[in-house]
Amino acid sequence: MSRVLVCVAWPYANGPIHVGHVTGSLLPADIFARFNRLVGNEVIMVSGSDMHGAPITVSADKEKVSPEEIANRYHEINLKAINDMGICFDMYTHTHTENHGEEVRKVFVKLMEDGYLKRMTTPQYHCSDCGRFLPDRYVEGRCPHCSYDRARGDQCDSCGMDLNAEELIDARCQLCGAKPELRDTEHFFLKLSGFTDQLLKYVEGSSHWRPHVRAFTLNVLKEGLIDRPITRDISWGVPVPVQGFESKRIYVWFEAVIGYLSATKEWAKAKASEDDWSRYWKDEDCRSYYFLGKDNIVFHTIIWPAILLGNGGLNLPYDVVANQFMNLGGQKFSKSMGVSIDIPDLLTKFSPDVVRYYLIANMPEFKDSEFSWEDFAQRTNGELVATYGNFIHRTLSFTFKNYGVVPTRGALDERDRAALERISRAEKDMRESLSACRFRDAMKSVMDLAQFGNQYFDAVAPWTLIRSDKERCGTVLGVSLEICKALAVLGSPFMPFSSEKIWHDVGMEGSVVESGWNGTKTPLKEGKKMEKPVPLFAKVEVPLSGGFAKYSALDLRIGKVIEVERHPNADKLYVMKVDIGRPITIVTGLKDFYSAEELSSKTLVIVSNLEPAKLRGVKSEGMLLAAEVGGGLALLTPESDLPPGTPVTSGLEVGSKTISFKEFQELDIRVGSLAGGSPPKLDIGPRTVSCATERGEVGRKYAALVQDESAVVMHAKGDIKIVFDRDIPVGARVR
RNA sequence: AGCGGGGUGGGGUAGCUUGGAAAUCCCAUCAGGCUCAUAACCUGAAGAUCGUUGGUUCAAAUCCAACCCCCGCUACCA
């Protein structure tokens, strides 16, 4: 019996939470907390919505509402989503409470008094019309590097240089257009550098941390910490408790982490035992676990510990359980499928346990993982439904049909005893994995038990026994029900809703949560009437992304190069004029591959409806297609001459809207070699796909639009195919 | 290009920190079994140059170096 504080990174109240939040921090924390409660530890789990900071004020300005309104809206939405996911907090608050403000104030003052803060004055733009200091991104002006007229104070969109707002020429306020003036402004800085040695010792002593968390932190520490400002000239946030700082607020990164402490205190107040918070923060036997995504590591392994060290007397994080990212790339995720990925939306389509199962099975614990609908369906249907759900259901329905009550268990034979031992082994495995925060492994040991259940059930074949020896049959069903019950208990941290249902269906009273870990040992209620079982999970169906429709967004044209010049402002770029039926300007990065003379005679394939973009100050109105691999590059060109402007449709519909560069990048165009056969095959390097195009020269390399297991050779009307001006390996990607 | 994460049977993965016999599991394939169960379950088989090259070692998927490729964020990518 011990005490555990579970802290979860604070979701930002500027949008609904998505699978990344759940699989990265909320879900592992919930499993860990549930597991600890199950084994009888004292646990509280705390977090809340991070309500302050610039992005929320930006959203608020956009919608012309108060920041508070935005923050409250998403707080409510997320609170509900968290609840619906079965994520069980002892306190889920937010950072805009009186309590939190007070706590932040206290910590701030303590650090200030003990000399861990310093004041520094820096110049900053102030707009007298708006009556406020302007964050760098709200200042606009001419870029000192490229003369672009609408550069922002943090960065120039045109040439990409990082800027300081003071460098801008003719700066103006982006909100009202007035000319702002530079004013000195004073801020507090946290003297992080002074903590370096203590932190090094702390991190080096934490050998139980995940390797990537520890290595990353040590790396940052060795590079040297810099003192960081912890106040800002903004109006949305926690006030600075110092005279003369009435117009300023505490910077969110400093303030939000203090939420762990303030939330614990709020929890203690709510249960009317105010001092209970200290049992979780001052008692050195209490371990604190922090669950977050890898983008958040330094805040929890450096900044928060530094604040705690400065404050004194409070426990440092025992473990910082940072997950990697679950990526949502790969096109399969697009909204065009009618399924987006935020949690409120996901839960309208799938039950929380199904979502939880997949997110655990695919949790990015040690490396990034990829969410895909195909995988989601496969794992749900093949593992959760077919192994776990099916074992429970075949046991329950057979028992119900033949007995109607929980059968009486007679003498056990060797196999039965082995089965019961197998339950103990699963318990032990799961306990070990979860104690080490290995969630996938832990759930695997539960699934393995379900699979064992199927093996046992098959081996004892109750459908035969029922005709020959009903008493013995009752015994094996009793053992099977034991396994079901164990699955309910062991599965409860992962799939709490179904666990309760199983618990009830095998005839147990109360709940798994109440019975705790010992539920596996609590005897079945023999003779208790059963209810007609309903399958726990249904198979899921997800829409498949079909066909080559996505390529229809492209409007490809034949283009002839008119002239080629060097980019005035970049060494690697050319500025080209190309005739695609009309002359356009294209900026390209081909300098390493082609001389201007070589290029000037080329006939190319151009994406004509790409969103124009400024590259280093020059507007590019399109993009030429080239295949690239390793150090090699080849341009796409028609196999025989075509007039400029000829559409390259590849037999598909042609898009009329402009497409973004990002959308373009999601398309998979590759160099493929035609392999013949019927239907013809196309070798695209790592694999061979079927080719939807009829003719073509076997062995020749063509540009191909790839979609899953099939591909279309890119061609213009008259079946003029697209080839390359140089040799390039099969499989090279076109971009 | 920079930062981060990877490359292990057809697909997806475990193992790598702390080198060591026949490399894990899921799906797909093939052969069998069962018929209680949601065409679900169980058994068996085939299938891997552990990205490439070099190094350290008695021994490398595992450690070191270089290179190649893939993914995410960023960018003088278009």
Side-chain angles (χ1 to χ4, degrees), chain A residues 275-294:
Chain A
D275 290 337
D276 266 12
W277 72 270
S278 63
R279 289 158 39 81
Y280 288 92
W281 285 90
K282 294 193 163 177
D283 181 348
E284 285 175 17
D285 290 334
C286 175
R287 287 176 169 181
S288 54
Y289 288 80
Y290 292 72
F291 292 85
L292 49 272
K294 66 175 166 187

Side-chain angles (χ1 to χ4, degrees), chain A residues 655-709:
Chain A
S656 49
K657 287 188 295 195
T658 56
I659 69 167
S660 69
F661 186 62
K662 189 164 183 181
E663 285 170 304
F664 171 75
Q665 278 194 312
E666 279 162 12
L667 303 177
D668 195 11
I669 308 178
R670 285 181 189 266
V671 178
S673 163
L674 199 61
S678 179
K681 297 280 183 207
L682 194 71
D683 178 5
I684 53 168
R687 58 207 171 104
T688 299
V689 297
S690 66
C691 177
T693 315
E694 291 300 318
R695 285 181 297 274
E697 205 178 311
V698 171
R700 180 127 195 221
K701 288 171 184 170
Y702 298 103
L705 311 176
V706 181
Q707 169 66 44
D708 295 333
E709 293 311 307

Side-chain angles (χ1 to χ4, degrees), chain A residues 450-709:
Chain A
Q451 183 168 38
F452 173 81
N454 278 317
Q455 287 163 347
Y456 175 82
F457 202 82
D458 257 50
V460 295
W463 53 90
T464 308
L465 275 180
I466 189 72
R467 290 191 295 264
S468 59
D469 185 349
K470 190 159 182 182
E471 196 189 319
R472 170 69 192 144
C473 185
T475 301
V476 302
L477 288 176
V479 172
S480 300
L481 288 171
E482 272 310 330
I483 300 174
C484 291
K485 180 160 64 69
L487 288 173
V489 175
L490 303 189
S492 66
F494 309 101
M495 293 167 288
F497 299 98
S498 355
S499 278
E500 293 299 348
K501 192 165 170 301
I502 298 168
W503 184 256
H504 174 260
D505 286 353
V506 298
M508 299 302 287
E509 319 220 305
S511 68
V512 178
V513 168
E514 289 158 16
S515 82
W517 194 255
N518 287 330
T520 54
K521 305 273 190 310
T522 315
L524 289 162
K525 304 245 177 305
E526 294 180 0
K528 179 160 183 197
K529 204 160 180 293
M530 293 175 70
E531 289 163 37
K532 186 174 168 51
V534 179
L536 274 182
F537 307 105
K539 288 198 173 186
V540 302
E541 277 181 50
V542 298
L544 286 170
S545 56
F548 292 85
K550 64 187 183 187
Y551 291 100
S552 292
L554 280 176
D555 185 357
L556 299 176
R557 303 286 173 137
I558 298 296
K560 294 218 179 204
V561 180
I562 304 168
E563 67 177 38
V564 182
E565 284 171 5
R566 303 183 45 159
H567 193 293
N569 220 338
D571 351 307
K572 286 197 190 164
L573 302 179
Y574 285 130
V575 178
M576 307 169 58
K577 286 230 180 329
V578 179
D579 181 3
I580 58 164
R582 60 193 160 93
I584 60 166
T585 303
I586 293 184
V587 181
T588 65
L590 296 177
K591 255 185 158 164
D592 291 345
F593 303 98
Y594 291 89
S595 69
E597 294 72 48
E598 279 177 288
L599 281 177
S600 59
S601 60
K602 296 279 183 194
T603 300
L604 305 167
V605 179
I606 307 291
V607 184
S608 70
N609 62 334
L610 198 63
E611 190 176 52
K614 288 219 171 173
L615 291 177
R616 210 90 192 163
V618 177
K619 192 164 156 194
S620 182
E621 300 167 294
M623 167 171 162
L624 58 82
L625 292 182
E628 197 177 358
V629 68
L633 184 138
L635 297 170
L636 273 68
T637 188
E639 58 185 345
S640 59
D641 203 35
L642 287 169
T646 307
V648 181
T649 63
S650 308
L652 303 169
E653 311 243 322
V654 172
S656 49
K657 287 188 295 195
T658 56
I659 69 167
S660 69
F661 186 62
K662 189 164 183 181
E663 285 170 304
F664 171 75
Q665 278 194 312
E666 279 162 12
L667 303 177
D668 195 11
I669 308 178
R670 285 181 189 266
V671 178
S673 163
L674 199 61
S678 179
K681 297 280 183 207
L682 194 71
D683 178 5
I684 53 168
R687 58 207 171 104
T688 299
V689 297
S690 66
C691 177
T693 315
E694 291 300 318
R695 285 181 297 274
E697 205 178 311
V698 171
R700 180 127 195 221
K701 288 171 184 170
Y702 298 103
L705 311 176
V706 181
Q707 169 66 44
D708 295 333
E709 293 311 307

Side-chain angles (χ1 to χ4, degrees), chain A residues 4 6 26-41 43-45 82-90 291 352-353 356 360 430 434 439 488-500 511-514 516-517:
Chain A
V4 179
V6 178
L26 290 160
L27 187 51
D30 183 57
I31 294 164
F32 191 72
R34 281 176 182 275
F35 165 70
N36 276 284
R37 290 184 200 114
L38 204 62
V39 299
N41 291 333
V43 181
I44 60 167
M45 177 160 116
I82 284 167
N83 229 349
D84 290 349
M85 276 300 295
I87 288 163
C88 189
F89 278 102
D90 296 278
F291 292 85
D353 280 357
R356 288 173 70 112
I360 297 160
M430 175 179 143
L434 276 189
F439 300 98
V489 175
L490 303 189
S492 66
F494 309 101
M495 293 167 288
F497 299 98
S498 355
S499 278
E500 293 299 348
S511 68
V512 178
V513 168
E514 289 158 16
W517 194 255

Side-chain angles (χ1 to χ4, degrees), chain A residues 205-254:
Chain A
S206 301
S207 54
H208 53 283
W209 288 8
R210 288 185 176 174
H212 72 271
V213 176
R214 191 149 169 267
F216 181 72
T217 304
L218 286 172
N219 213 1
V220 173
L221 285 171
K222 279 171 190 157
E223 286 192 359
L225 298 176
I226 43 170
D227 300 338
R228 298 183 60 163
I230 61 169
T231 56
R232 300 240 80 186
D233 289 295
I234 52 172
S235 57
W236 176 237
V238 177
V240 185
V242 176
Q243 274 224 327
F245 282 75
E246 290 76 11
S247 65
K248 305 178 191 219
R249 293 295 177 269
I250 295 178
Y251 214 164
V252 269
W253 66 257
F254 178 83

Side-chain angles (χ1 to χ4, degrees), chain A residues 105-347:
Chain A
R105 239 176 328 264
K106 275 197 230 160
V107 172
F108 186 97
V109 168
K110 177 92 165 74
L111 291 179
M112 183 168 63
E113 285 173 356
D114 291 349
Y116 295 114
L117 305 184
K118 66 179 177 192
R119 292 179 180 215
M120 270 180 36
T121 300
T122 51
Q124 180 112 30
Y125 273 111
H126 181 273
C127 175
S128 46
D129 283 20
C130 299
R132 60 160 148 173
F133 277 96
L134 299 171
D136 283 353
R137 57 159 56 163
Y138 282 157
V139 186
E140 209 174 70
R142 197 157 73 245
C143 174
H145 304 277
C146 73
S147 301
Y148 177 58
D149 193 43
R150 298 193 54 187
R152 281 179 301 142
D154 52 347
Q155 199 189 40
C156 172
D157 280 341
S158 176
C159 69
M161 292 294 280
D162 286 335
L163 302 174
N164 290 318
E166 310 91 82
E167 297 177 61
L168 290 174
I169 301 157
D170 291 336
R172 57 190 179 274
C173 169
Q174 203 188 47
L175 304 171
C176 70
K179 194 181 167 91
E181 51 173 356
L182 274 176
R183 279 196 200 171
D184 278 348
T185 178
E186 192 178 24
H187 283 292
F188 280 91
F189 284 65
L190 175 63
K191 296 201 272 188
L192 267 182
S193 48
F195 292 101
T196 308
D197 291 344
Q198 273 173 286
L199 288 171
L200 264 174
K201 205 185 286 172
Y202 162 63
V203 178
E204 274 164 357
S206 301
S207 54
H208 53 283
W209 288 8
R210 288 185 176 174
H212 72 271
V213 176
R214 191 149 169 267
F216 181 72
T217 304
L218 286 172
N219 213 1
V220 173
L221 285 171
K222 279 171 190 157
E223 286 192 359
L225 298 176
I226 43 170
D227 300 338
R228 298 183 60 163
I230 61 169
T231 56
R232 300 240 80 186
D233 289 295
I234 52 172
S235 57
W236 176 237
V238 177
V240 185
V242 176
Q243 274 224 327
F245 282 75
E246 290 76 11
S247 65
K248 305 178 191 219
R249 293 295 177 269
I250 295 178
Y251 214 164
V252 269
W253 66 257
F254 178 83
E255 164 250 298
V257 285
I258 297 173
Y260 297 119
L261 182 59
S262 59
T264 310
K265 291 195 175 176
E266 190 179 336
W267 164 83
K269 280 178 199 161
K271 65 187 279 277
S273 49
E274 289 215 19
D275 290 337
D276 266 12
W277 72 270
S278 63
R279 289 158 39 81
Y280 288 92
W281 285 90
K282 294 193 163 177
D283 181 348
E284 285 175 17
D285 290 334
C286 175
R287 287 176 169 181
S288 54
Y289 288 80
Y290 292 72
F291 292 85
L292 49 272
K294 66 175 166 187
D295 52 332
N296 233 328
I297 290 175
V298 283
F299 292 100
H300 293 83
T301 60
I302 292 178
I303 290 171
W304 180 226
I307 295 172
L308 288 168
L309 284 167
N311 192 79
L314 299 176
N315 291 344
L316 297 180
Y318 171 74
D319 199 358
V320 178
V321 188
N323 273 327
Q324 312 270 6
F325 287 149
M326 178 176 272
N327 297 312
L328 316 174
Q331 183 69 17
K332 282 162 191 151
F333 233 101
S334 77
K335 292 189 193 94
S336 60
M337 271 170 55
V339 190
S340 77
I341 208 58
D342 62 68
I343 297 302
D345 192 69
L346 198 60
L347 287 175

